[in-house]
């Protein structure tokens, strides 16, 4: 069943949440006129044959990768170039102040509210192919088992050879024709997934459930395919963030991304929900189980979304303010450094890494803004989540509105008994169209049943089902 919506007004969500999709004139002007602030300290690394891997149509390309066999043939060298956004942004400028206010790119289905003006984020700062670009270059040496032996970070001038999307790389992988720069990506990705720290980390290979605008102007609720190459490419980003986090922890200063481990109660609840969806965990740990789930299937998407409840309490911290904490979803110390075009903290965390690697003092413009960066990242992360949910719920309610009164097949994930304040209810998963929703009634947890769509209200962005079905 594919359900479509002819008219969707996402502008109302942007207005409701004060999301700006345009920039002030002075900010736009600064972005267009900005030049390299660090030209004298930049290595010429244009000989490295970088390529980029991003969703189809993306223009804000933060990362480029090239992987070689180790110098002695037993390990690997990972080159990872990250857009050097700080090179274009003068401390104290209107451009910097605007980014400190925004925090991160907010993705609306019809138009992104960018962190930086388009002239930077989708042009001069983006690692587009066949043009020279400013980058921060991570060089990471791995042993034959994929464990980190050494790494270095420095400013560089790079030149990407080709822009790939995930489906192209998946097709090349299937045919055994991967580009030479990423021919080792599957091998390194698998080794990293099995590395000492990553083995016990909860790895959410969450497919993207998104609102897609079609050529005829209608919108469709879809699950994007999640190929293995998504996971392999993610491992390179995670590897870099772990190197950054460890560097900061070693020196006792920097921006860490933290996440507490799941409670025993949360793990037990997840096992019940996974069983309800038809999965058999057996004696496997939750990280082992999640690694084998087909995340692109409706059931796989559902169990990955339920696993998100295991990873609550994510935060950003400035390490000087307290003890270092690990990120339970990563398995070690971690810092966001690989998406500076889309996330504010990455620009500042990268400056910390460059200073620590060079044995220099952290720039004052970084340390003086640490509290402001943390505050903005916390508020903008909450905003991004609210906007994502609002857009998704609006689409669900709109596409389901004509189907009120119809029956749907569902799996009962959790149940809540009747109380004086609340009627009996359940949380259900409907496979077609793929959604998680509330259901009035008391069906048996774990059962497969038929429910009736009783309410689809686009104005309130609410969808409610009822059991038993009429």
């Amino acid at each position: 069943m594919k359900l479509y919506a002819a008219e969707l007004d996402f502008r109302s969500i942007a207005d409701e949440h004060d999301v700006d999709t345009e920039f002030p004139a002075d900010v736009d002007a600064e972005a267009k006129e900005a030049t390299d602030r660090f030209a004298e300290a930049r290595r010429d690394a244009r000989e490295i044959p970088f390529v980029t891997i991003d969703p189809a149509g993306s223009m804000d390309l933060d990362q480029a990768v090239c992987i070689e066999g180790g110098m002695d043939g037993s390990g690997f060298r990972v080159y990872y170039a990250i857009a050097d956004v700080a090179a274009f942004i003068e401390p104290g400028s209107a451009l910097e102040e605007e980014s400190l206010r925004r925090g991160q790119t907010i993705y609306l289905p019809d138009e992104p509210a960018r962190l930086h003006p388009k002239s930077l984020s989708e042009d001069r700062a983006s690692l587009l192919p066949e043009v020279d670009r400013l980058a921060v270059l991570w060089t990471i040496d791995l042993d034959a088992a994929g464990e980190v032996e050494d790494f270095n970070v420095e400013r560089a001038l790079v030149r990407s050879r080709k822009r790939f999307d995930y489906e192209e790389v998946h097709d090349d992988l299937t045919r055994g024709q991967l580009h030479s720069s990423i021919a080792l990506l599957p091998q390194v990705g698998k080794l990293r997934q099995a590395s000492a720290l990553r083995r016990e980390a909860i790895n959410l290979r969450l497919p993207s459930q998104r609102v897609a605008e079609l050529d005829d102007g209608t919108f469709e609720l879809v699950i994007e395919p999640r190929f293995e190459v998504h996971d392999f490419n993610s491992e390179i980003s995670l590897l870099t963030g772990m190197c950054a986090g460890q560097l900061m922890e070693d020196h006792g200063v920097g921006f860490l991304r933290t996440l507490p481990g799941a409670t025993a109660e949360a793990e037990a609840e997840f096992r019940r929900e996974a069983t309800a969806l038809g999965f058999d965990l057996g004696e496997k740990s939750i990280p082992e189980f999640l690694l084998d789930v087909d995340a692109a299937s409706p059931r796989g998407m559902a169990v990955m979304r339920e696993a998100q409840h295991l990873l609550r309490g994510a935060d950003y911290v400035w390490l000087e303010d307290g003890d270092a904490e690990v990120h339970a979803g990563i398995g070690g110390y971690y810092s966001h450094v690989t998406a500076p075009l889309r996330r504010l903290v990455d620009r500042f965390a990268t400056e910390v890494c460059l200073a620590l690697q060079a044995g220099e003092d952290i720039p004052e413009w970084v340390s003086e803004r640490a509290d402001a960066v943390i505050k903005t990242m916390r508020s903008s992360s909450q905003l991004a989540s609210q906007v994502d949910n609002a857009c998704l719920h609006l689409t669900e309610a709109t596409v389901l509105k004509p189907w009120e009164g119809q029956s749907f097949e569902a799996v009962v994930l959790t149940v809540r008994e009747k109380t004086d304040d609340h009627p009996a209810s359940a949380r259900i998963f409907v496979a077609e169209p793929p959604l998680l929703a509330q259901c009035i009634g008391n069906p048996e947890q774990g059962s497969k049943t038929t429910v009736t769509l009783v309410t689809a209200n686009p104005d309130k962005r609410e969808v409610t089902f009822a059991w038993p079905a009429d």
Side-chain angles (χ1 to χ4, degrees), residues 314-355:
D315 199 6
Y316 292 95
V317 298
W318 175 242
L319 186 52
E320 278 190 340
D321 293 338
D323 296 331
E325 300 176 26
V326 300
H327 189 293
I330 302 300
Y333 300 111
Y334 185 63
S335 181
H336 274 156
V337 293
T338 63
L341 289 173
R342 292 168 279 172
R343 211 165 39 209
L344 173 71
V345 71
D346 298 54
R347 181 168 91 235
F348 286 82
T350 293
E351 295 306 310
V352 173
C353 292
L354 286 165

Coordinates of all heavy atoms in Angstrom, one line a residue, residues 314-355:
A314 N 21.5 11.6 25.5 CA 22.7 12.1 24.8 C 22.9 13.5 25.1 O 21.9 14.3 25.3 CB 22.5 11.9 23.3
D315 N 24.1 14.0 25.2 CA 24.4 15.3 25.5 C 25.8 15.7 24.9 O 26.5 14.9 24.4 CB 24.5 15.5 27.1 CG 24.4 16.9 27.5 OD1 24.1 17.8 26.7 OD2 24.5 17.1 28.7
Y316 N 26.0 17.0 25.0 CA 27.3 17.6 24.6 C 27.9 18.2 25.9 O 27.2 18.8 26.7 CB 27.2 18.7 23.6 CG 26.8 18.2 22.2 CD1 25.4 18.3 21.9 CD2 27.7 17.8 21.3 CE1 25.0 17.9 20.6 CE2 27.3 17.3 20.0 CZ 25.9 17.4 19.7 OH 25.5 17.0 18.5
V317 N 29.2 18.0 26.1 CA 29.9 18.5 27.3 C 31.3 19.1 26.9 O 31.9 18.7 25.9 CB 30.1 17.4 28.4 CG1 28.8 16.9 28.9 CG2 31.1 16.3 27.9
W318 N 31.6 20.2 27.6 CA 33.0 20.8 27.4 C 33.8 20.1 28.5 O 33.5 20.2 29.7 CB 32.9 22.3 27.6 CG 34.2 23.0 27.6 CD1 34.7 23.7 28.6 CD2 35.1 23.1 26.5 NE1 35.9 24.3 28.3 CE2 36.2 23.9 27.0 CE3 35.2 22.6 25.2 CZ2 37.3 24.2 26.2 CZ3 36.3 22.9 24.4 CH2 37.3 23.7 24.9
L319 N 34.8 19.3 28.1 CA 35.5 18.4 29.0 C 36.2 19.1 30.2 O 36.3 18.5 31.2 CB 36.5 17.6 28.2 CG 37.3 16.5 28.9 CD1 36.3 15.5 29.6 CD2 38.1 15.7 27.9
E320 N 36.5 20.3 30.1 CA 37.2 21.0 31.2 C 36.2 21.1 32.4 O 36.7 21.4 33.5 CB 37.6 22.4 30.8 CG 39.0 22.4 30.0 CD 39.5 23.9 29.8 OE1 38.7 24.8 29.9 OE2 40.7 24.0 29.6
D321 N 34.9 21.0 32.1 CA 33.9 21.2 33.2 C 33.7 19.9 34.0 O 32.9 19.9 34.9 CB 32.6 21.6 32.6 CG 32.7 23.0 32.0 OD1 33.6 23.8 32.4 OD2 31.9 23.3 31.1
G322 N 34.3 18.8 33.7 CA 34.1 17.6 34.4 C 34.9 16.4 33.9 O 35.7 16.5 33.0
D323 N 34.6 15.2 34.4 CA 35.3 14.0 34.0 C 34.7 13.6 32.6 O 33.6 13.8 32.2 CB 35.0 12.9 35.0 CG 35.6 13.2 36.3 OD1 36.6 13.9 36.4 OD2 35.1 12.7 37.3
A324 N 35.6 12.9 31.8 CA 35.2 12.4 30.5 C 34.2 11.3 30.7 O 34.4 10.4 31.5 CB 36.5 12.0 29.8
E325 N 33.2 11.3 29.8 CA 32.2 10.2 29.8 C 32.2 9.6 28.4 O 32.4 10.3 27.4 CB 30.8 10.8 30.1 CG 30.7 11.4 31.5 CD 29.4 12.0 31.7 OE1 28.4 11.5 31.1 OE2 29.3 13.0 32.5
V326 N 31.9 8.3 28.3 CA 31.9 7.6 27.1 C 30.5 7.7 26.4 O 29.6 8.2 27.1 CB 32.2 6.1 27.2 CG1 33.6 5.9 27.8 CG2 31.2 5.4 28.1
H327 N 30.4 7.4 25.2 CA 29.2 7.4 24.4 C 28.8 5.9 24.2 O 29.5 5.1 23.6 CB 29.4 8.0 23.1 CG 28.2 8.3 22.3 ND1 27.4 7.3 21.8 CD2 27.6 9.4 21.9 CE1 26.4 7.8 21.1 NE2 26.4 9.1 21.2
A328 N 27.7 5.5 24.9 CA 27.3 4.1 24.9 C 27.0 3.6 23.5 O 27.1 2.4 23.2 CB 26.1 3.9 25.8
G329 N 26.5 4.5 22.6 CA 26.2 4.0 21.3 C 27.4 3.9 20.4 O 27.3 3.4 19.3
I330 N 28.6 4.3 20.9 CA 29.8 4.2 20.1 C 30.8 3.1 20.8 O 31.4 2.4 20.1 CB 30.6 5.6 20.1 CG1 29.7 6.6 19.5 CG2 31.9 5.5 19.4 CD1 29.2 6.3 18.1
G331 N 30.8 3.1 22.1 CA 31.7 2.2 22.8 C 32.9 2.8 23.3 O 33.8 2.1 23.8
G332 N 33.0 4.2 23.2 CA 34.2 4.8 23.8 C 34.0 6.3 23.8 O 32.9 6.8 23.7
Y333 N 35.1 7.1 24.0 CA 35.0 8.5 23.9 C 34.8 8.9 22.5 O 35.3 8.4 21.5 CB 36.3 9.1 24.5 CG 36.6 8.7 25.9 CD1 37.7 7.9 26.2 CD2 35.8 9.2 26.9 CE1 38.0 7.5 27.5 CE2 36.1 8.8 28.3 CZ 37.2 8.0 28.5 OH 37.4 7.6 29.8
Y334 N 34.0 10.0 22.4 CA 33.5 10.4 21.0 C 33.3 11.9 20.9 O 32.9 12.5 21.9 CB 32.2 9.6 20.7 CG 31.7 9.8 19.3 CD1 32.4 9.3 18.2 CD2 30.5 10.4 19.1 CE1 31.9 9.5 17.0 CE2 29.9 10.6 17.9 CZ 30.7 10.1 16.8 OH 30.2 10.3 15.5
S335 N 33.6 12.4 19.8 CA 33.4 13.8 19.5 C 32.8 14.0 18.1 O 33.2 13.3 17.2 CB 34.6 14.6 19.7 OG 34.4 16.0 19.5
H336 N 31.9 14.9 17.9 CA 31.4 15.2 16.6 C 32.4 16.1 15.9 O 32.6 17.3 16.3 CB 30.1 15.9 16.7 CG 28.9 15.0 16.8 ND1 27.7 15.3 17.4 CD2 28.8 13.7 16.4 CE1 26.9 14.3 17.3 NE2 27.5 13.3 16.7
V337 N 33.0 15.6 14.8 CA 34.0 16.4 14.0 C 33.8 16.3 12.5 O 34.6 16.9 11.8 CB 35.5 16.1 14.4 CG1 35.8 16.5 15.8 CG2 35.7 14.6 14.2
T338 N 32.9 15.5 12.1 CA 32.8 15.1 10.7 C 31.7 15.7 9.8 O 31.6 15.5 8.7 CB 32.7 13.6 10.5 OG1 31.5 13.1 11.1 CG2 33.9 12.9 11.2
A339 N 30.9 16.6 10.4 CA 29.8 17.3 9.7 C 29.7 18.8 10.0 O 28.7 19.3 10.3 CB 28.5 16.6 10.0
P340 N 30.8 19.5 9.7 CA 30.8 21.0 10.1 C 29.9 21.8 9.2 O 29.5 22.9 9.6 CB 32.2 21.4 10.0 CG 32.8 20.4 9.0 CD 32.1 19.1 9.2
L341 N 29.5 21.3 8.0 CA 28.6 22.1 7.2 C 27.2 22.1 7.8 O 26.4 23.0 7.5 CB 28.6 21.5 5.8 CG 29.8 21.8 4.9 CD1 29.7 21.0 3.6 CD2 30.0 23.2 4.6
R342 N 26.9 21.0 8.6 CA 25.5 20.8 9.1 C 25.4 21.0 10.6 O 24.3 21.0 11.1 CB 25.1 19.5 8.6 CG 24.8 19.3 7.1 CD 24.6 17.9 6.7 NE 25.9 17.2 6.6 CZ 26.0 15.9 6.4 NH1 24.9 15.1 6.4 NH2 27.2 15.3 6.3
R343 N 26.6 21.0 11.3 CA 26.5 21.0 12.7 C 27.6 21.9 13.3 O 28.7 21.8 13.0 CB 26.7 19.5 13.2 CG 26.0 19.1 14.5 CD 26.0 17.6 14.6 NE 27.3 17.0 14.2 CZ 27.4 15.7 13.7 NH1 26.3 15.0 13.6 NH2 28.5 15.2 13.4
L344 N 27.2 22.8 14.2 CA 28.0 23.8 14.7 C 29.2 23.3 15.5 O 30.4 23.7 15.3 CB 27.2 24.8 15.6 CG 28.0 25.8 16.4 CD1 28.5 26.9 15.5 CD2 27.1 26.4 17.5
V345 N 29.0 22.3 16.4 CA 30.0 21.8 17.3 C 31.2 21.2 16.6 O 32.3 21.3 17.1 CB 29.4 20.8 18.3 CG1 29.0 19.5 17.7 CG2 30.3 20.6 19.5
D346 N 30.9 20.6 15.4 CA 32.0 20.0 14.7 C 33.1 21.0 14.3 O 34.3 20.6 14.3 CB 31.5 19.4 13.4 CG 30.4 18.3 13.7 OD1 29.5 18.6 14.4 OD2 30.6 17.2 13.1
R347 N 32.7 22.2 14.0 CA 33.7 23.2 13.6 C 34.6 23.5 14.8 O 35.9 23.6 14.7 CB 33.0 24.5 13.1 CG 33.9 25.6 12.7 CD 33.1 26.7 12.0 NE 32.6 27.7 12.9 CZ 31.4 28.1 12.9 NH1 30.4 27.5 12.3 NH2 31.0 29.1 13.7
F348 N 34.0 23.7 16.0 CA 34.8 24.0 17.2 C 35.6 22.8 17.7 O 36.7 23.0 18.1 CB 33.8 24.6 18.2 CG 33.3 26.0 17.9 CD1 32.3 26.2 17.1 CD2 34.0 27.1 18.5 CE1 31.8 27.4 16.8 CE2 33.5 28.4 18.2 CZ 32.5 28.5 17.4
A349 N 35.0 21.7 17.7 CA 35.7 20.5 18.1 C 36.9 20.2 17.2 O 38.0 19.7 17.7 CB 34.8 19.3 18.1
T350 N 36.8 20.4 16.0 CA 37.9 20.2 15.0 C 39.1 21.1 15.4 O 40.3 20.7 15.3 CB 37.5 20.5 13.6 OG1 36.6 19.4 13.2 CG2 38.7 20.4 12.6
E351 N 38.8 22.4 15.8 CA 39.9 23.3 16.1 C 40.6 22.8 17.4 O 41.8 23.0 17.5 CB 39.3 24.7 16.4 CG 38.7 25.4 15.1 CD 39.7 25.4 14.0 OE1 40.9 25.8 14.2 OE2 39.3 25.0 12.9
V352 N 39.9 22.2 18.3 CA 40.5 21.6 19.5 C 41.5 20.5 19.1 O 42.6 20.5 19.5 CB 39.5 21.1 20.5 CG1 40.1 20.3 21.6 CG2 38.6 22.2 21.0
C353 N 41.0 19.7 18.2 CA 41.9 18.6 17.7 C 43.1 19.1 17.0 O 44.3 18.6 17.2 CB 41.1 17.6 16.8 SG 39.8 16.7 17.6
L354 N 43.0 20.1 16.1 CA 44.1 20.6 15.4 C 45.1 21.2 16.4 O 46.4 21.0 16.2 CB 43.7 21.7 14.4 CG 42.9 21.2 13.2 CD1 42.2 22.3 12.5 CD2 43.9 20.5 12.2
A355 N 44.7 21.9 17.4 CA 45.6 22.5 18.4 C 46.3 21.4 19.2 O 47.5 21.5 19.4 CB 44.8 23.5 19.3

